[in-house]
Amino acid sequence: MFYPVFISLIAALGGLLFALDAAIISGVVPFLRDAFSLTGGQIGLIVSSLVFGCVIGVMVAGAPLDKYGRVKPLIVSALLFIAGVLGAAFSDSVGIFVTFRILAGFAVGISSVVSPMYIAEVAPSNRRGFLVSLYQLTIVAGILLGFLSNYWLVDIDSVNNWRIMLSVMSVPALIFLAGLFFVPESPRWLMMKGEEAKAHSILTKINGKTYADHEIDIIRKSSGAPADSGYKLVFSKLYRKPLLIGVGLAILQQVTGINAIMYYAPTIFEKTGLNVDSAIYQTILVGLINLIFTILAMFIVDRVGRKPLLVTGSLLMALSMLLVSASFYFQLHSVITLIAILLFIAAFASSLGVVMWVVISEMFPAAIRTRAMSLSIVSLWVACFFVALIFPFLIDVAGVANTFLIFTFFCFINVFFNIFFIKETKGVLLN
Ligand code: BGC
C-alpha cells in the first residue's frame, strides 16, 4: 500500500497550492489594505482574483489532459504557481498584483482538477475514498501551514512582511514540483494512448500483478464504452441528474461561507475587537481544528458512510453559523464568536470538507467521470469566487451579523439537499 499512498500524496500536494494561498491571503489582507489604501471592493477583487484564474484554469485543463496526460499538466501548474506568487510578492501596484494572482489561480485551477482525477485513476478501487481524501488533507494542512506562517511572519518587517508571506508559498510548490518527477503517468491515460504494457507495469507496481490484469481488463472494456463522447453525453438526459447533484454539492459546499472564514479569518476576528496579532493567533486555531476533524473524517467516512456525515455535519454547520451571526448581532464576548466559528469548522471538516471530494470522485459513471468532475469543480470555483468577492462588500453594506445569517440560510439548504438528493456511495463499486 506504500506506493499508491506515496504517489497519491505527491499528486495531492496540488491541494497545498490552493490552500496555502487561501490561508496566506487572509494574513496578507490587513497589511495590503494599509500598503495600497484599499477599499472593501478592492480587497474583494484582490482576494477573489486567484479564484477567477482558477475558473479559467479548470476550463482550459480539459483538452491538454487528453493530449499530454496528467503529470505534465501538474508540472506546468507547479511552475506557473511559483511564477504567480513571486510576481505578486514583488508587485508595486494593485493591477500587477491582481495579474500575478490570476496566473497563480490559473495554476491552482489546473491542479484542482488533475490532482484528484489522477488519484482516482491510480487508486485501487477499495481504497479510492481514503486516497482521494488525501487531497482534502493537504488542503487543510496547507491552510494550517499558511496560518502559521502568517503568525510567524507578522512582525518580521512592518513594511514588507506581506511580500515575505507571499514568497513563502514558492517553497512547498518547489517540493511539489520535485516530487512530480517520481510519479508515473496515469495508467488509464496510457491505455487511451495504446500503451498497454507501460500501464500494466505501473498497475503492477501499485497493487500487484493480479490486480493489474484485472484493471487492464476493466479499462479495456470501459474504453469501448462511450467514454470519449465529450460534453454532449454529460449533458444528455441520461446523466442530467447526477451532473446536477455533483454541481449542486460543489456549489453548496462553498455558499456555506467556509471560505469567507478561511480567506478573511483575521479580519473577522478583528471585528470582534481583537488586534491583528491575536486575530492571526486565533486563526491558527481555526486551521488546527480543521486539520484534526479532517483526519477524523478520513478514518470514519468508509465506516459511517457519506450520507450520514453530510446530513449531520450540515445541520451542525447551520446551527453554529447561526450562533456566529447571533454573537455579532448581540455583540457577545469574542470568545463566543471564536467557539461558534470553531464549531462550524469542526462540522464542515468532518462532513462537507472531505465528503464532497470523495462523493464527486465516485458518484459519476466512468463514461462521464472526468468531464462531470471538471464541471463540478469549475462550479465550485465560480461559487468560491463570488463568495470571496462579495463577502467584504456584504459586510460593508449588510453588516457582519446579517452576512452570517445569509450563510446560515445556505447551510440549512445543504441539510435538505443532502437528505433528499444524496445517495449513499459507500462501498459502491466504480465502473
Ligand atoms: C473546499 C475549500 C475549502 C477547504 C477548507 C475544501 O473542501 O473545497 O474551498 O477552503 O475545504 O478546508
Side-chain angles (χ1 to χ4, degrees), residues 172-209:
L174 277 169
I175 298 175
F176 175 47
L177 181 63
L180 286 172
F181 291 95
F182 297 93
V183 306
E185 193 37 89
S186 154
R188 276 169 203 274
W189 179 75
L190 288 170
M191 286 289 285
M192 246 167 71
K193 295 282 148 189
E195 300 199 40
E196 192 172 313
K198 242 189 193 167
H200 190 275
S201 92
I202 293 167
L203 286 166
T204 309
K205 223 170 151 192
I206 289 174
N207 206 18
K209 187 173 173 314

Side-chain angles (χ1 to χ4, degrees), residues 278-301:
S278 37
I280 288 189
Y281 179 65
Q282 302 214 340
T283 304
I284 292 173
L285 262 181
V286 168
L288 201 61
I289 294 289
N290 199 10
L291 179 66
I292 294 171
F293 282 85
T294 297
I295 294 174
L296 184 87
M298 283 177 71
F299 284 96
I300 60 173
V301 65

Side-chain angles (χ1 to χ4, degrees), residues 267-274 282 328 332-334 337-338:
T267 317
I268 296 170
F269 287 126
E270 262 187 280
K271 297 249 179 228
T272 67
L274 295 169
Q282 302 214 340
F328 277 103
L332 304 178
H333 196 279
S334 62
T337 316
L338 175 67

